[in-house]
Amino acid sequence: MKSFRKRHYRINPETLQLERIEHGFRYWLRRSGGYIIGGICIGIIAFYVFLYFYPSPREASLMQYNRNLTAEMEVLSKQVDQMQIVLADLSQRDDNLYRAILGADPIPMTSRMGAAMQISYYDSLARMSNTQLVADIHRKVDILEKELYVQARSYDEILELAKNQETRMENIPAIQPVLNKDLKHMASGYGWRVDPVYHIQRFHEGMDFSAPVGTDIFATGNGTVTYSGWRQGYGETIEIDHGFNYATLYAHCSKRMVKVGQKVKRGDVIALVGNTGKSTGPHLHYEVHLNGRPIDPRNFYFYDLSPEDYDRMVQLSGNMGNMMD
């Protein structure tokens, strides 16, 4: 059989004859090695090109899982946002409605947020994969968890306050300390007034009710007598602790009819109007205290006065005339 193998010749410079070139094993080894190395290089390049444009089934599965996880996290983040909006509304109602009605102080924002604002913790999350989304969701969930806990405790407190509301309404001051339906005994109100002795502006921490000596003075709410005696400037004085951070003071009495530690109910006669202490005429000086501070007593006659009478009393007590003590 005729061979189709390609043969190579060269001219012998000495004989000027064509001579057949016989290649040895090393020649063929080098030649085949070049083809092999070239093929390997082309194969490697093709492999990486294929990996770049065509991921493996495992990588494709992981990429799809990552896309699904990211989408779920975005949905979760939006749901947390909605829950925070609802919780913010509940917190606002809690502070401005429920706790206000029951006379409780609002919960400070620092207590609601609490330890959920630890920035360093979220900075560490920012170094993870899917950094911004993961850290943001962690932050929202931590804040939401803290706010839910505080809100749950607040509702527990409100429930207790509601249970005690009947007792509270019996205890807090709610009537005038002397019979004054016609408001003719109103002498001076709460606020800046002219001192009747020194004739200078001075803050009057209560209300004065002018009445004849011996007129009955009533406890304006249930409570316990915490002071009954003489006090400089006030004369014969009685103080009652009504609980719930409320207290009342009755000064310039002519006669005290209760002792320290005695329990009294709203409407009990506790003393008689007098003219003792720093006083320019027979009258009762009456104060209401909340959390140890005097507040305007005219806001605590709601069992005694109609809305029309209350408006009239506000006008009368708002005068800038002289006080009687």
Side-chain angles (χ1 to χ4, degrees):
M1 179 181 289
K2 186 177 180 180
S3 174
F4 291 95
R5 182 178 175 183
K6 188 176 182 181
R7 296 177 178 177
H8 297 84
Y9 297 87
R10 70 182 178 85
I11 298 176
N12 190 325
E14 295 180 356
T15 63
L16 300 178
Q17 296 291 321
L18 287 175
E19 294 180 353
R20 183 178 171 182
I21 300 175
E22 297 292 340
H23 296 294
F25 174 76
R26 296 176 66 180
Y27 170 81
W28 294 109
L29 181 62
R30 287 196 303 269
R31 188 168 183 180
S32 59
Y35 287 122
I36 292 172
I37 292 173
I40 291 174
C41 292
I42 293 174
I44 292 174
I45 294 172
F47 176 75
Y48 280 105
V49 170
F50 181 81
L51 286 182
Y52 182 80
F53 291 101
Y54 303 97
S56 68
R58 177 180 173 81
E59 290 177 328
S61 177
L62 290 175
M63 291 172 63
Q64 183 61 40
Y65 176 78
N66 188 55
R67 286 193 293 268
N68 293 341
L69 183 61
T70 301
E72 290 177 4
M73 293 173 69
E74 290 176 349
V75 171
L76 178 61
S77 179
K78 292 179 180 179
Q79 290 175 337
V80 172
D81 288 340
Q82 291 299 318
M83 285 188 287
Q84 286 180 322
I85 292 174
V86 174
L87 184 57
D89 180 63
L90 291 176
S91 300
Q92 186 176 15
R93 293 186 189 183
D94 182 28
D95 288 340
N96 299 331
L97 180 60
Y98 309 138
R99 301 181 74 85
I101 290 175
L102 296 174
D105 294 330
I107 298 176
M109 184 57 66
T110 52
S111 297
R112 288 191 180 276
M113 305 298 287
M117 300 303 290
Q118 296 175 352
I119 304 302
S120 59
Y121 172 68
Y122 303 110
D123 288 341
S124 65
L125 289 177
R127 293 189 288 271
M128 299 171 55
S129 58
N130 289 324
T131 55
Q132 187 174 1
L133 189 57
V134 172
D136 187 55
I137 291 178
H138 271 279
R139 179 183 62 81
K140 290 177 181 178
V141 170
D142 284 348
I143 293 176
L144 185 61
E145 182 180 18
K146 177 64 177 180
E147 290 180 343
L148 286 173
Y149 172 77
V150 173
Q151 191 61 58
R153 292 294 301 272
S154 176
Y155 283 144
D156 290 340
E157 182 182 350
I158 288 174
L159 180 60
E160 290 300 317
L161 289 172
K163 291 180 180 177
N164 295 330
Q165 184 67 1
E166 183 176 357
T167 302
R168 179 177 181 274
M169 293 306 296
E170 291 175 350
N171 283 33
I172 64 173
I175 62 173
Q176 296 181 92
V178 296
L179 289 177
N180 190 32
K181 292 288 186 180
D182 55 7
L183 302 180
K184 292 182 179 180
H185 294 297
M186 186 72 62
S188 180
Y190 176 90
W192 289 97
R193 298 290 185 270
V194 177
D195 189 287
V197 176
Y198 303 109
H199 304 291
I200 60 173
Q201 287 284 325
R202 182 169 65 83
F203 195 84
H204 192 224
E205 296 183 343
M207 295 186 70
D208 292 339
F209 296 87
S210 62
V213 172
T215 301
D216 289 340
I217 299 174
F218 305 103
T220 56
N222 298 355
T224 303
V225 178
T226 55
Y227 185 86
S228 179
W230 181 274
R231 179 170 291 178
Q232 183 67 33
Y234 286 90
E236 297 290 349
T237 303
I238 292 172
E239 290 185 10
I240 299 176
D241 180 8
H242 299 277
F244 304 96
N245 299 319
Y246 284 96
T248 51
L249 179 146
Y250 312 78
H252 308 300
C253 307
S254 61
K255 182 179 180 181
R256 294 174 284 107
M257 303 176 69
V258 291
K259 299 179 180 180
V260 173
Q262 182 174 337
K263 303 289 185 181
V264 297
K265 292 185 176 295
R266 179 181 293 133
D268 287 350
V269 177
I270 58 173
L272 302 178
V273 171
N275 191 27
T276 59
K278 179 176 169 288
S279 173
T280 58
H283 77 289
L284 167 68
H285 174 80
Y286 173 65
E287 295 181 10
V288 176
H289 292 206
L290 177 62
N291 294 317
R293 296 181 178 181
I295 56 177
D296 196 337
R298 67 185 180 184
N299 297 322
F300 296 90
Y301 303 142
F302 46 86
Y303 277 5
D304 238 5
L305 302 175
S306 66
E308 294 78 12
D309 289 337
Y310 176 80
D311 289 340
R312 182 166 164 244
M313 181 205 64
V314 170
Q315 294 176 357
L316 291 173
S317 64
N319 71 81
M320 294 300 292
N322 293 346
M323 49 189 172
M324 300 186 68
D325 48 29

